[in-house]
Amino acid sequence: MSKRTTKRKPGRGKDAIPSPTPRPAAAPEARPEPSLPAALLDPTRLTVGVIALFLVSGATSLVYEIVWARHLQLVFGTSQLAISTVLAAFMAGLALGGLAAARWAQRVTRPLLAYGILEAFIGLYALVLPSMLTATAPFYLRFFRNFDPGPVTLGALQAGVVSALLLLPTFCMGATLPLLVRFSTRGNLRLGATVGRLYGANTLGAVLGTAAAGFVLLPRFGTAATTGATVAANGLIAVAAIAISVALREGGESKYSAPNAPASTPPNNEAQQQDLGLTPLLALAALTGASSLLYEVSWFRLMTLLLGGSAYAFSIMLLAFLLGIGLGGWAAGPMADRSLLRGGQAGLLRGLGKIQVMIAVLAWAAMFGYAQLPFMWVWLYDRLEGSSYHLLGGQLLLALLVMTPPALFMGASFPYLVRVAGGRYHEAGTPVGLIYGFNTLGAIVGALGGTLLLLPALHVRGSVLLAAAVNLLVAAIAAVAATLAAERRARARAYGLALAAVGVLLFLFKPPWDPLLMTTGLYTKAFDLRDRSRQGVLDYTVGSYDLVFYEEGLSSVVTVSRSKRDPSHLWLSNNGKNDASTGDDMKVQTLLAHLPFAFRPSAERVAVIGLASGITAGGVTLHDSPRRIDLIEIEPEVVAASHEFDAFNHQPLADPRVQLVVNDARNHLLLVPDGAYDLVTSEPSNPWLTGVANLFTREFFALGERKLDAEGVWAQWLHAYEMAPEDLRSLLATFADVFEHVRVFRVDIFDLVLVGSRSPLPLSVESLRQALFQDLDVRANLARVDMPLPETLLAHYLFARPAIQKLADGVALNTDDNMRIEYSAPLHLFDNTLWDNAEMLLRAAEPPFDALGPSSEIVRLAEAYAQEERWQHALATVEHALREDPESQELLEMRERYGRQAERPTTPREGRR
């Protein structure tokens, strides 16, 4: 065709034929302009606005997950099964919401408005959820008490109740991503970029929510205020989304509406040939979700050994993992679009395969660095010593090194999967909902299977290698499908063989793992290291101990180690935290067994919280009065480990009166009827550990007080090291706020035993003699820890409830809501507060002169004080005796001797337990 005959579009160029003057038309009815500024409605700015909304939405969802988990664990317990049940129920709601939105999102004409309504509903539901849980708890308890279900039935009941409580809000959360994708994408021309940015923004919002909840909101304001602030944020999201929807006249005609682009580019023949099919694609989405959560639970187990089990440590781990997911999802969206343009569906599948290989390789390579993490932590501690907040930054650095690089590629998988599925649908919300739903269902399998089955069976290394194998399987399926679709069967076989070879290499070359080094608990013991060089760390860990027992259980890694210098010294540790020993802990373990019987010698129904070495439980079995002893232990592997102490613990598990209860102590007490026990002795781990902290709140002590009969006695272990004086005062005040009568005893300078009851707790040398020193076995057990006489035991007494109230005047109590100790105590793990606490307690101590009878008892008490190096109290006791016998030469000599010791300046003791 010649230039002369080329057609031109009317209205363009200087030769264009002018169109006739149009006839005047009737003026259209005036329509009000949107009230929002035009700049906000610019398509680019609007996209930024929607991303900002979804970022805040991700933050609120994560805060809700944390807060709701806390509420639910107070009822259902903190056993690994209970925690997994809560997580599975939360994720199941998300999955169902995504799958449902895949079916009906395309029929929603105003998706932004629907999103705003869902956010408003989530916020309103969060307000009433605590009340719903309170109303539901009695039905749960009634079912348990009426039917006495087994562990499987009880777990199913818990799962049903939790699912019913969380289904509606989590369903709404899961539906939000497909709705926003539908709003932001007209068709799927840029589906990858849109999904990547929204998914990445939502996950990065979860990072912000983790940081806000874990480091600011919960520590400073508690759960109720945190919930209120999060509900307010949900309200602002809802108002903003609805306002933008109205201003845009979403669903109708508006000059601000985005143009209706074609639903999708017409697929070419190559793309049709390379279609993997929906079922295999959804299976790949589920497999990637399962591997990601298996990595997460494995890495959390690993990092707990390095960072400890505090609430801050778990926030740091979650932050590092989610940061990688969010950044990977954000960056990979546009890359998925480019892969489709360059190589069609085959290009996307090849890209997905490469991503999976990178996850596997990075996770495997990181395992070779696990053995270096203890040395890195000590190196960081040495350079950041003196600042707990800086050390939290050091912990974050270690978590980022392990988790974030592979997590980047995990986040990249999602937009690639959605982009592969996007070519099958004309509506963008459908593939997003399907991939999101099946990916989350796979994540449930990974989380539950990893926690309840794989970690106990395969341990950390085996679980990580299995997750890597799943990644390689996904890579093989994607790569082979891409090459087969292009009729390149030889290349497909080559891909399969290459990935199989990679898998074999990963399993053949297992990274090193020294159980003793990894479970020494340097996150608290670095303080005691005099030599913080690499060799010094080795000498302190593998050079000083022999590993006797090692198992990775449901809730913790349990180890028993033996001192090479003194083979009679054994230590039992959970996740590297020493919880029992035959050394420094012997006295307090023994006293916890016998001291409560001094106030309730006829106790028949007894509960012991915490098995550990079994020394306390074994001491309880030496008493004749108990008819039933409930031994409550949360970790089954501790039961096996306790047998390593059979030479010291009187083998309590062999006593027919002992009934082992594998459960969370709080959940167990909640389930038994009020007045169930005459005596309870509680020796859990330290209150700075999340989960364990629930056993030191006012609400827990009040629960325990209800489970005692009218004259029941509660004995509580409490530590005086690694804790600020104000925190120690808070715990003392919390206990005394519940129990009307309290006696406090000190063991060395490390530990306290608190005894509480509704009834008076009379204390005298004679009552101790009658209750504890008439029985030969009990007396021998006490003599074994240097308490052969009633007076030597009495020398450990500090004060009663009035002294506590005076000591703790004005201090805040530790409650389920404020979680004061759970968030404050970890900040003092690296502070040598032991001597400050010892001095504070001794200043408040009151020698029990009213418990003494003849002068011989007074003399023996003074000598016992001297043995404990409590010179001031030894001197005060002698002065008290001299009032009765001022001419006693023995007392005068004792006064002179103790007076000289009392005048000597005290030197703070170094080190901790």
Side-chain angles (χ1 to χ4, degrees), residues 266-305:
N268 55 33
N269 291 334
E270 182 187 3
Q272 288 176 339
Q273 291 175 352
Q274 294 169 350
D275 190 353
L276 181 60
L278 180 59
T279 301
L281 187 60
L282 296 180
L284 294 185
L287 287 172
T288 58
S291 67
S292 296
L293 263 291
L294 181 53
Y295 280 126
E296 182 181 2
V297 297
S298 302
W299 289 336
F300 273 39
R301 172 66 60 85
L302 165 72
M303 299 311 296
T304 301
L305 296 176

Side-chain angles (χ1 to χ4, degrees), residues 176-200:
T176 55
L177 178 59
L179 285 173
L180 286 186
V181 169
R182 169 160 166 69
F183 170 79
S184 303
T185 305
R186 297 300 187 266
N188 54 20
L189 291 173
R190 300 183 67 246
L191 178 59
T194 302
V195 170
R197 286 171 182 169
L198 287 173
Y199 176 74

Side-chain angles (χ1 to χ4, degrees), residues 531-872:
D531 180 3
R532 293 173 187 158
S533 67
R534 185 181 184 88
Q535 188 59 46
V537 173
L538 288 172
D539 291 342
Y540 183 82
T541 54
V542 298
S544 300
Y545 307 99
D546 290 320
L547 189 66
V548 177
F549 179 93
Y550 176 87
E551 281 297 336
E552 298 185 23
L554 286 174
S555 59
S556 69
V557 177
V558 182
T559 55
V560 177
S561 55
R562 186 190 307 274
S563 170
K564 290 183 176 180
R565 289 181 297 178
D566 185 353
S568 67
H569 281 191
L570 295 169
W571 285 267
L572 182 144
S573 301
N574 282 288
N575 292 328
K577 166 67 185 66
N578 285 357
D579 282 331
S581 74
T582 59
D584 294 337
D585 298 303
M586 280 296 291
K587 184 177 284 190
V588 69
Q589 291 167 153
T590 303
L591 198 61
L592 275 163
H594 302 301
L595 186 59
F597 283 94
F599 303 100
R600 188 70 187 274
S602 60
E604 296 182 348
R605 301 164 301 166
V606 178
V608 178
I609 297 176
L611 171 60
S613 64
I615 291 170
T616 296
V620 171
T621 63
L622 297 178
H623 292 265
D624 295 329
S625 63
R627 291 185 294 105
R628 178 186 174 105
I629 304 170
D630 288 343
L631 181 53
I632 307 159
E633 174 56 51
I634 193 171
E635 174 51 62
E637 292 300 340
V638 169
V639 178
S642 70
H643 288 296
E644 301 295 338
F645 295 82
D646 281 352
F648 305 90
N649 63 17
H650 304 283
Q651 302 183 34
L653 295 174
D655 192 305
R657 297 172 297 169
V658 173
Q659 303 295 317
L660 180 65
V661 180
V662 180
N663 193 8
D664 168 68
R666 183 159 182 163
N667 185 244
H668 172 75
L669 289 181
L670 189 66
L671 294 173
V672 300
D674 291 350
Y677 294 113
D678 304 321
L679 186 155
V680 176
T681 183
S682 178
E683 190 183 11
S685 194
N686 301 65
W688 58 264
L689 294 165
T690 191
V692 178
N694 295 335
L695 306 184
F696 290 87
T697 65
R698 189 195 184 284
E699 290 80 0
F700 175 71
F701 291 141
L703 173 66
E705 193 259 0
R706 293 201 308 272
K707 303 307 170 180
L708 297 172
D709 67 2
E711 297 179 354
V713 171
W714 184 284
Q716 177 68 47
W717 169 80
L718 187 61
H719 68 93
Y721 53 90
E722 299 172 353
M723 184 182 297
E726 189 163 341
D727 291 343
L728 180 57
R729 292 168 56 219
S730 175
L731 287 172
L732 290 169
T734 301
F735 190 83
D737 191 65
V738 171
F739 291 98
E740 184 178 355
H741 301 277
V742 177
R743 298 279 190 179
V744 179
F745 294 78
R746 190 188 78 155
V747 183
D748 296 325
I749 60 172
F750 300 111
D751 303 286
L752 301 175
V753 177
L754 283 57
V755 181
S757 178
R758 276 175 276 178
S759 301
L761 298 170
L763 180 66
S764 68
V765 171
E766 183 58 28
S767 66
L768 291 175
R769 181 179 291 109
Q770 292 294 327
L772 301 180
F773 292 87
Q774 296 295 323
D775 186 281
L776 296 179
D777 290 333
V778 173
R779 185 170 66 189
N781 197 229
L782 287 167
R784 186 178 176 184
V785 290
D786 299 326
M787 286 185 283
L789 299 170
E791 292 86 354
T792 54
L793 191 156
L794 193 61
H796 293 81
Y797 176 74
L798 285 179
F799 41 67
R801 187 169 183 259
I804 295 177
Q805 293 172 322
K806 182 179 178 180
L807 179 68
D809 183 38
V811 72
L813 302 182
N814 184 44
T815 68
D816 287 344
D817 180 67
N818 65 26
M819 301 165 294
R820 171 189 166 86
I821 302 303
E822 182 175 358
Y823 281 100
S824 177
L827 299 177
H828 300 282
L829 288 179
F830 316 111
D831 300 336
N832 190 3
T833 60
L834 177 62
W835 194 251
D836 291 337
N837 287 330
E839 289 186 337
M840 176 186 73
L841 294 171
L842 289 178
R843 284 196 301 269
E846 301 170 338
F849 297 140
D850 56 346
L852 300 171
S855 60
S856 59
E857 294 182 357
I858 302 175
V859 170
R860 285 195 293 269
L861 177 61
E863 292 172 341
Y865 276 138
Q867 184 179 352
E868 294 293 315
E869 298 185 6
R870 290 173 59 176
W871 304 111
Q872 293 286 356

Side-chain angles (χ1 to χ4, degrees), residues 372-385 391 394 397-398 401 522 526 529 531-534 537:
Q372 306 307 315
L373 292 174
F375 303 106
M376 295 174 66
W377 165 246
V378 173
W379 184 88
L380 287 168
Y381 179 89
D382 197 39
R383 281 145 186 82
L384 301 175
E385 186 176 356
L391 286 167
L397 176 61
L398 295 182
L401 288 174
L522 288 171
L529 284 175
D531 180 3
R532 293 173 187 158
S533 67
R534 185 181 184 88
V537 173

